[in-house]
Amino acid sequence: MLTDIWTVMRKELKEIANVRERIGLIGILFMIVTFGILLPWQMGRSWIESPITLIYWAWLPLFQVITVVADSFAGERERHTLETLLASRLPDQAILFGKLLAALTYGVGLTWISLLVGLITINLVHSPGSLIFYPPDVAFAVLSISLLSGGLAAGAGVLVSLRAKTVQQVTQLLSIAVMLLIFLPTFGLQMLPAAWQERLLKSVANWDVTQTVLTAIVVLVVIDSILIGAAMRRFQRTRLISE
């Protein structure tokens, strides 16, 4: 099974690399420069020490995974290669998890590269003379949240891509979902009365960071598991071929 998953995953990663090469590397370089050089340069040591940066590392893999996961099944359907793939002897789970893990590897991999570049930037620009590293609790939180956030996008993306007719449909739906996820809480907070906003902000300021991060990890694990489970139930060869 692991060999079959790796076979599908390697095929997907090669296709992702070919697409990125055709589109250009400007977008990828812009992302790495922004999150690996510019922001760490401006924020200094707080970039690797402050829990606030978790917002960036939760947001970034979401968008990176979305850019490729939409093609997982909807793209095969558009190119009329889905029937050939489903007619192969590869197990269902190998096809599903190979595509899911390829998108996750791409999105989270770029995020972690930005993390490493940011650490190098901090040491070159803001080091007091000794090496600076991410504090263990921050490193654990960043790696876990970014991985699970990418898993959220990958699970949802594969599930939607199984149903959609075109890549554009998947991309639009996932982009709208992410935008709502980000902007609804922001605008919702602004619509509250000033007294409620102040009370809510004071409550958030008193949260225990470690407990909050652990709660977020548990919630993401549950949601990711539900999405992947739904995708596994949805993946039926005869049904996919007939659609």
Side-chain angles (χ1 to χ4, degrees):
M1 176 63 72
L2 292 178
T3 302
D4 292 333
I5 291 176
W6 170 244
T7 299
V8 177
M9 183 177 171
R10 184 175 57 185
K11 165 188 168 293
E12 290 297 307
L13 288 173
K14 286 182 178 179
E15 291 183 358
I16 290 172
N18 290 335
V19 171
R20 298 297 104 178
E21 184 178 353
R22 290 197 300 270
I23 295 176
L25 299 178
I26 296 178
I28 295 176
L29 292 177
F30 176 79
M31 184 270 295
I32 294 176
V33 169
T34 300
F35 291 92
I37 298 177
L38 296 181
L39 288 176
W41 193 311
Q42 293 176 355
M43 295 182 63
R45 294 186 59 164
S46 62
W47 180 252
I48 64 174
E49 295 175 351
S50 174
I52 299 296
T53 57
L54 279 173
I55 298 174
Y56 294 105
W57 304 122
W59 170 83
L60 187 58
L62 275 175
F63 279 96
Q64 293 302 318
V65 171
I66 283 175
T67 61
V68 296
V69 75
D71 190 72
S72 55
F73 289 99
E76 298 272 10
R77 190 175 284 115
E78 278 189 344
R79 296 188 295 271
H80 304 290
T81 56
L82 183 60
E83 294 81 358
T84 302
L85 177 64
L86 296 177
S88 68
R89 295 183 179 182
L90 291 168
D92 290 359
Q93 292 186 354
I95 296 175
L96 180 65
F97 282 100
K99 287 179 171 290
L100 189 150
L101 290 173
L104 184 62
T105 298
Y106 171 81
V108 177
L110 287 179
T111 301
W112 288 358
I113 289 174
S114 299
L115 275 170
L116 179 59
V117 175
L119 183 61
I120 294 172
T121 300
I122 293 295
N123 276 278
L124 290 176
V125 179
H126 299 285
S127 174
S130 57
L131 291 177
I132 304 174
F133 296 97
Y134 289 96
D137 55 342
V138 174
F140 171 76
V142 168
L143 294 177
S144 300
I145 293 296
S146 61
L147 179 62
L148 293 171
S149 177
L152 176 67
V158 167
L159 182 60
V160 175
S161 188
L162 282 167
R163 296 174 176 269
K165 298 295 184 182
T166 66
V167 174
Q168 185 178 11
Q169 290 178 352
V170 185
T171 303
Q172 290 177 344
L173 183 59
L174 292 178
S175 298
I176 292 172
V178 171
M179 290 299 180
L180 290 176
L181 184 65
I182 293 174
F183 291 113
L184 274 184
T186 303
F187 289 111
L189 178 61
Q190 294 177 355
M191 294 175 64
L192 292 175
W196 289 21
Q197 291 185 32
E198 184 178 356
R199 190 179 307 169
L200 181 60
L201 291 175
K202 287 182 178 179
S203 175
V204 171
N206 292 328
W207 285 359
D208 181 86
V209 175
T210 302
Q211 185 176 356
T212 302
V213 169
L214 291 176
T215 301
I217 289 174
V218 172
V219 171
L220 284 172
V221 167
V222 172
I223 296 175
D224 288 3
S225 300
I226 292 173
L227 289 173
I228 294 173
M232 292 174 65
R233 289 193 297 272
R234 169 64 179 161
F235 190 95
Q236 300 177 15
R237 295 195 183 212
T238 54
R239 185 175 181 180
L240 290 173
I241 291 176
S242 62
E243 289 181 347

